[in-house]
Amino acid sequence: MEMFVALVIFFQFLCSLSAIQGRTINSRKSGVSEKKVADVSDFFAKLIQRVSPKSYQQALGEVYVTQKFLENFCGDQVRFLARSFAVPGNHLGQQSHGFRWPYGPVTIITPFNFPLEIPLLQLMGALYMGNKPLLKVDSKVCVVMEQMLRLLHECGLPLEDVDFINSDGPTMNKILLEAKPRMTLFTGSSRVAEKLAVDLKGRVKLEDAGFDWKILGPDVHEEDYVAWVCDQDAYACSGQKCSAQSLLFMHENWSKSSLIDKLTGLAARRKLDDLTIGPVLTVTTEAMLGHMNKLLEIKGSKLLFGGEALQNHNIPAVYGAIKPTAVFIPLEEILNENNYELVTKEIFGPFQIVTEYKHNQLSLVLNVLERMHAHLTAAVVSNDPLFLQDVIGNSVNGTTYVGLRARTTGAPQNHWFGPAGDPRGAGIGTPEAIRLVWSCHREVIYDIGPLPQKWRTPQPT
Amino acid sequence: MEMFVALVIFFQFLCSLSAIQGRTINSRKSGVSEKKVADVSDFFAKLIQRVSPKSYQQALGEVYVTQKFLENFCGDQVRFLARSFAVPGNHLGQQSHGFRWPYGPVTIITPFNFPLEIPLLQLMGALYMGNKPLLKVDSKVCVVMEQMLRLLHECGLPLEDVDFINSDGPTMNKILLEAKPRMTLFTGSSRVAEKLAVDLKGRVKLEDAGFDWKILGPDVHEEDYVAWVCDQDAYACSGQKCSAQSLLFMHENWSKSSLIDKLTGLAARRKLDDLTIGPVLTVTTEAMLGHMNKLLEIKGSKLLFGGEALQNHNIPAVYGAIKPTAVFIPLEEILNENNYELVTKEIFGPFQIVTEYKHNQLSLVLNVLERMHAHLTAAVVSNDPLFLQDVIGNSVNGTTYVGLRARTTGAPQNHWFGPAGDPRGAGIGTPEAIRLVWSCHREVIYDIGPLPQKWRTPQPT
Amino acid sequence: MEMFVALVIFFQFLCSLSAIQGRTINSRKSGVSEKKVADVSDFFAKLIQRVSPKSYQQALGEVYVTQKFLENFCGDQVRFLARSFAVPGNHLGQQSHGFRWPYGPVTIITPFNFPLEIPLLQLMGALYMGNKPLLKVDSKVCVVMEQMLRLLHECGLPLEDVDFINSDGPTMNKILLEAKPRMTLFTGSSRVAEKLAVDLKGRVKLEDAGFDWKILGPDVHEEDYVAWVCDQDAYACSGQKCSAQSLLFMHENWSKSSLIDKLTGLAARRKLDDLTIGPVLTVTTEAMLGHMNKLLEIKGSKLLFGGEALQNHNIPAVYGAIKPTAVFIPLEEILNENNYELVTKEIFGPFQIVTEYKHNQLSLVLNVLERMHAHLTAAVVSNDPLFLQDVIGNSVNGTTYVGLRARTTGAPQNHWFGPAGDPRGAGIGTPEAIRLVWSCHREVIYDIGPLPQKWRTPQPT
Amino acid sequence: MEMFVALVIFFQFLCSLSAIQGRTINSRKSGVSEKKVADVSDFFAKLIQRVSPKSYQQALGEVYVTQKFLENFCGDQVRFLARSFAVPGNHLGQQSHGFRWPYGPVTIITPFNFPLEIPLLQLMGALYMGNKPLLKVDSKVCVVMEQMLRLLHECGLPLEDVDFINSDGPTMNKILLEAKPRMTLFTGSSRVAEKLAVDLKGRVKLEDAGFDWKILGPDVHEEDYVAWVCDQDAYACSGQKCSAQSLLFMHENWSKSSLIDKLTGLAARRKLDDLTIGPVLTVTTEAMLGHMNKLLEIKGSKLLFGGEALQNHNIPAVYGAIKPTAVFIPLEEILNENNYELVTKEIFGPFQIVTEYKHNQLSLVLNVLERMHAHLTAAVVSNDPLFLQDVIGNSVNGTTYVGLRARTTGAPQNHWFGPAGDPRGAGIGTPEAIRLVWSCHREVIYDIGPLPQKWRTPQPT
């Protein structure tokens, strides 16, 4: 444990001050080292940008969440994480203890879109609980964790505590089948997740993609704010977050507002220069526009904005590059079983569906949600408590934001992030997530006696 | 919830008083109804005996644990089970709530050896957390739960809350593949467990068989007591408990004691008349004796007692019927990789392996444990704290009893029972087990505002 | 512990079924014993009525809450209440355990208005945590607990576990000073509470009277419901609950509604016949009317309804007997420091103050609350989340109901009831309340070794 | 909260690295700033030494614990400390939330012996939970916290968040009586604690002195280690810790060992030069020797070592200065009611009582413990689980160390430290301690509706 503490402290020493600079600490206070810290933060943010197409602010945000996570497990917090409980037994000398116990040899497989945050948080969680992890990061972006591991080693992480592998997927799959890790954490596409679940006979925790939705409730206020959050949720990182907003339900009161105009204006601000819109790594331009065209064949559908390839760039054709795009589909058509699968197909890029519901159509909206099979993030933008109660009580998404300021993306380290409704679902970051993913329950019952006086051997049963 | 309370109360009203009779309540106190309660308890105990070969005391014990479990969720305890937590957010109006959320449609599949306790505890756990369960009990014994469901309905359980199916395994498998339950709890053989894990792509919680071990430590005391516990652990219910003692490690100090003699004497007390020894439902006599003979070919092995078929009975040949049996195998030979799999093969009957270790051979013992792949119950019979620390710290069994009075079987409802070291592992009975098996984490973040004063739309990122 | 379980079961057996009759259990189901249970419930309800002037429904409610509390600690719940935790230490063999530990000899002193619920819940809480209690109930009503103790003994409570004393206050005070109990729970008047706190040098937990308030927020809906709750909060048990509504703040929107008319009508339904209005045990008619007259001298004040002595009764003059009464005082006058103490003086009878606030006067309302010194119950009737956030964040009452259905009285056993803002504050009924009031933290640190190899005696420090 | 995080980080930045230097971080790693950190740590350790007579290692230990405490509340840990819970209600729309709520204006009064650790840990605890503290540190040593407050301000603590007062006791007492803080934490002498409890009518949490004991059990091993721990427990800081060992019970097996010889030798190593023995601030030399002489009049008593004034020093006569001293008193004479109070009188200096018990006299030992009225720390040096069970089960000390390595002093920040058995008892440092001392339970019940359909106003009750 001391090792982790040391690492945390050293990393903090390097990263903390600059990241929160301008917030509470006056810059003059920390002298020489603050420069160093800012350098390290900046180094990792730019390193992330070299391999994952996102703006500097988004990359820095990833470094910031990582840093805050490490701070959360300073001091005695790793031992507090391993807190057990005990309950009196049936007679003097008996007591049962419930422990969180490590699995032992475990594997971590993480994707391209968060090259630092996802692998580091899961790796440290595995270590905190006492496991021996083998880590594989998507090969396009693994340089980031490779650099972080060097920092960890510099801070005192014993070389033998973590195994790090660079490989393609099939090779990794073969390793898993032979090594038989006790537990494998996989973050990535649903397709690979399902394959791994079968290959590893269910010894997995999964955080796969979601088709995340947002509902705007009947109470319309703060249109500028809500529009801005929608723009960020749908198009930040070019929509390449598993929490990105894919489907927006507007109450008819919002349709009458200037929301769509505002969304159109906000989307138009995004530009390739600063990567506020950029390459899509897993879907080509053709595939995205083709999907759009199929959607536009649905009765009543229309293109709200976007729908064109980006121009004047040298993004290779194996990647996608389109403008932030929104397609309107009538609610009834989404529910039409000929369309449902098409409409709710996840496009891991800057692409969303928009629809509208009348005041008496909430049950149809809930029906759309009920039929989805992945349940990651969701948002209900309303301050009407009865409306919120209705939607929350009828949905199951793991990370659900509600209230005027609800969003689907941007989860920090201080609350659970992960899907719900699936026993294989993984969480990330919080004490609860670490305990769930990286440890199992073990019960040790102490029964030391003394024996009752005059105990005699009973009859067999 | 009220429904459960009513059920609990009614069941208690019927069952409680008689079960604890002679303990704290004077029999004269409860008048007419006590007779009724005793009748109900007796009815279920005898019903269990008709389909599952165990003594009356063992069957009554199953009814007793079931009753205690129901008492545990009286009053407001079901709502307390659904306790959530909340943590302050980043600004006024933000708060994150962590809930335990139901899966929705779930399935429960349970085995023949505990026809009442296992299905009832899992079924109620599923209901407490708000799921809609489909229950299948092994068809040989399902009459017990069929009767219990009638009692539940009589007590107020709505007819539509639980689906109950009588079928063979292949039919049930087909249903699972088509119905795609969100979660399936399976208790039974490892073979079926592994198949289900693949078929259901890991959406399972499993409590499969174990090859449970007991270690007698260096401090020898209370030989009569320890011998009696060994006899019960190995041979009660004819060894047909997933927690039954399959492998006994004796410290050399115990070898010098009269332990083996005492075990031999205790085993000899068991008789078919009162089902303290009886039919084995899943292994034939030939299979058990054949396994024994293979073991006896190992160098240094010997038969300690038993090893013969039962005589003068009309148990059909599809079942097994042997005397309580113990075979000694030298520790080194267990570790021999030619023998390891043979020796640690689970025989779901009255059959155990015994071995001995020298004081300096504890690491070999731990080595044997490390190589096992199922980790259900275990016992370490010793009051030496440093010895206990060593064995507990180097093992992973889910339910581990330690101390002079340690046992492997007879887990009550008041502590966790289940395997450890496997993310698919299920627990049964306690609040922790119910929360783990029958609910998932959901985080709802309230973010109601107000907005910061003078908020302006920021640049996109 | 078994004793409590037995008691709980027996009490349930006697009381449960009838109390929840008509809710979930069909009456035909329980046969002979249901009659018996109804008899016992009825017996205690009527016994309460003989000594404490409340309607049958109110008395039966007290029995019901008591029964539900006992159900909550069925089965293993008493041992779960004693749950401890442990955290890893600094080296192999070290672990710290945090226990809830009993005080040992403790005292319980309870008032006249809840002759069964308050003493029984506190007594059982003290016993659950392992204390040895001496119980004194107000001598006017102690016959109820005397009868309950006989039932407890019948159910198996050892005679020596509880000491029960019948005495007047001065005698009890003398006993306390000599016996020096480790902890004393006092429920009753603020005056006696403060004296006891000094006499016992702070070794007390107190639940004293409060001047409880209700705020009606800006959103007006369900007027009939809100009016009915106000009537019950202010006048049930003739206002002799420590949670009774003493001060009602109406938002101007509510003033424009028919609320006051409805309150007047509801108050007029109350009659001595069925004790929906009845004798006041600690304030005479003169004292109440005198207080009213002083209030009516305040500028802008007026009598809303009531304000007269009851007629045609034989209630002795040492008690009070007035109609349900409400006096309106302008908000500014309440804040006037010449009036503040007079207006916020608690009258333990059917008497409330009503006032009104304009939309921009919420800060004045919060100011009134801030100056109070007792903080028991409160209610904020509104579904506006920002309004609720504002009032909750600026108040400290222990049990605060918020939302459309908010009330000040009628707390059940399933949530904490007690004051906040005072380290001496006691809670009642829930697991948290019992742990706080009846146990203290004890930390036991196991540090068994082994010593580090080659340990050498260090230099002294 | 951000403020605290900033402070924590800055303090860490200054202090962390050097304090753990030589443990896990290689000194070359942190470059320029490590020097700065070591300087700050060293600055505070030497500042403590200037006002509180303890060795450099003891003073540095105080700085180290303080630093570790701050690390524990990095990141989101302050918000996690404020974690609430919620439980479902009785109908749709009802939910009860249990919060930890601040008191508001509070006071902290701390003693001379830990000028940094006690006030800082309590102050930060009060701030974490949202209180507004007024801090008074013993005027002899308050310069340490005065310097720390300047560092806190430099790190961003708003000037108005903490009030700091320098005064004598009577002035402070007057302030308390007028200011009426909601809660006062007092650490110091029992005499003042009792007075404050009365003056403040019990609105206090107390951590007063204790007469701490250690029992050596029947199993004798590691004599050098046990002797060294005894020496440190009794004489480090010249015995001026509230956790110092005041009474040592030796099992007869230990009497036969070389323990007393070893204790004598270890005590002789202590010298004024390095403050391993030094001035006693609250008891004069005469008082201590006078007390010793009275003890030596008891039948069978004898001086084991020490018992003389220190020589060749310029410690003013208002302070005490004696050699580490141990007096043997027979067990029977301790229990003699003429002697009991004398023997168990706490001497806040390098002074302990030693006694012996025969194997069958454990009940007499427990009898001695039972009669004590303060219950702070204790130690049971034994690895015999049944012996430990016996002593733990029959005692109530708040911080109890058990096992071969048990001690009475040197509590770190990672477990609770404080007395038990008293509702006024305060803890320090851990999350549990902070929640208990610096917050109270508040329950907010949301009950937002909707109303049941067709609700009608019921009859009054």
Side-chain angles (χ1 to χ4, degrees), chain C residues 423, chain D residues 103-107 134 175-184 200 203:
Chain D
Y103 290 112
V106 298
T107 323
L134 165 63
I175 290 171
L176 289 173
L177 292 177
E178 289 185 13
K180 293 185 181 150
R182 296 260 181 193
M183 226 296 285
T184 295
L200 299 172
R203 286 187 188 83

Side-chain angles (χ1 to χ4, degrees), chain D residues 216 222-224 226-228 230 248 250 254-266 305 354:
Chain D
L216 307 182
E222 303 288 3
E223 291 171 50
D224 280 331
V226 170
W228 170 70
C230 283
L248 178 68
M250 294 184 299
W254 279 96
S255 313
K256 294 167 197 156
S257 79
S258 60
L259 182 76
I260 294 294
D261 285 349
K262 285 185 166 134
L263 287 180
T264 309
L266 289 166
F305 52 81
V354 177

Side-chain angles (χ1 to χ4, degrees), chain D residues 426-440:
Chain D
I428 189 167
T430 61
E432 286 71 34
I434 295 173
R435 279 194 208 102
L436 177 94
V437 174
W438 293 115
S439 68
C440 56

Side-chain angles (χ1 to χ4, degrees), chain A residues 186-191 193-194 206-210 242 374 376 419 424:
Chain A
F186 173 79
T187 307
S189 77
S190 297
R191 193 183 52 77
E194 294 295 309
L206 307 175
E207 199 263 89
D208 56 350
C242 47
L376 191 53
R424 308 165 309 175

Side-chain angles (χ1 to χ4, degrees), chain A residues 2 6 12-13 23-24 28-29 33 71-72 74-77 79 83 93 154 389 413-414 432 449, chain D residues 2 6 12-13 23-24 28-29 33 71-72 74-77 79 83 93 154 389 413-414 432 449:
Chain A
E2 275 301 326
Q12 265 180 293
F13 162 71
R23 292 162 54 98
T24 45
R28 82 185 150 77
K29 287 176 189 158
S33 59
E71 287 173 29
N72 278 351
C74 269
D76 298 301
Q77 292 298 345
R79 74 171 101 204
R83 183 174 162 132
E154 182 73 8
Q389 176 167 277
Q413 74 298 327
N414 59 287
E432 286 73 33
Chain D
E2 274 301 326
Q12 265 181 291
F13 163 69
R23 292 165 51 99
T24 45
R28 77 183 155 80
K29 287 177 189 157
S33 59
E71 287 172 29
N72 278 351
C74 268
D76 298 301
Q77 292 297 346
R79 75 171 100 202
R83 182 173 163 133
E154 182 73 7
Q389 177 167 278
Q413 74 297 327
N414 60 287
E432 286 71 34

Side-chain angles (χ1 to χ4, degrees), chain B residues 277-290:
Chain B
I277 189 72
V280 173
L281 268 63
T282 54
V283 203
T284 62
T285 303
E286 288 68 35
M288 287 189 282
L289 297 183

Side-chain angles (χ1 to χ4, degrees), chain C residues 332-342 371:
Chain C
E332 296 81 356
E333 292 301 323
I334 296 177
L335 281 162
N336 181 328
E337 64 181 58
N338 295 325
N339 300 330
Y340 187 81
E341 236 173 280
L342 177 68
R371 287 165 63 182

